[in-house]
Amino acid sequence: FNSVNFPRVQQALSAPYRITLINKNVPNIVARISTAVSDFNINIDNIINAGIKPKEIFFIFPPELLCLAKIDELVAKFEASDNIVRVRLIKGK
């Protein structure tokens, strides 16, 4: 919310985990991210898509799945993507 380098966004942490992504702004990136999440049988409950720079988009979404192992696999898949610049897993309280 108070970041210097990112857009001013706020989202309540309504799930045990949140994944934030910084990705390149390339065709079909939103669809590829959604497909990756769907492949793990995770429903995207809420998403914020706010531009940082002309070539990057910032996503925040809370996965509903409670299995940390599956979430770790999803994070690893994002980290392996050439179009994902940075991935961060945030654990709720």
Side-chain angles (χ1 to χ4, degrees):
F1 183 70
N2 292 320
S3 175
V4 174
N5 299 317
F6 294 102
R8 187 178 178 104
V9 296
Q10 186 172 7
Q11 181 187 46
L13 186 54
S14 59
Y17 306 102
R18 173 182 297 164
I19 299 173
T20 63
L21 303 175
I22 300 172
N23 59 278
K24 297 176 183 176
N25 190 7
V26 296
N28 297 318
I29 191 67
V30 175
R32 286 186 246 164
I33 291 169
S34 297
T35 299
V37 173
S38 177
D39 288 346
F40 285 90
N41 293 318
I42 299 172
N43 181 43
I44 298 174
D45 180 54
N46 192 345
I47 189 169
I48 296 174
N49 177 358
I52 302 169
K53 299 176 185 175
K55 297 190 182 224
E56 297 177 336
I57 300 171
F58 184 59
F59 287 89
I60 303 173
F61 56 92
E64 294 177 341
L65 190 62
L66 298 177
C67 177
L68 184 56
K70 289 284 187 186
I71 292 172
D72 286 340
E73 287 181 53
L74 177 59
V75 168
K77 184 172 186 170
F78 286 143
E79 289 174 336
S81 172
D82 291 337
N83 292 313
I84 303 293
V85 177
R86 183 167 181 212
V87 181
R88 182 172 176 214
L89 175 62
I90 301 171
K91 298 176 186 177
K93 296 177 182 174

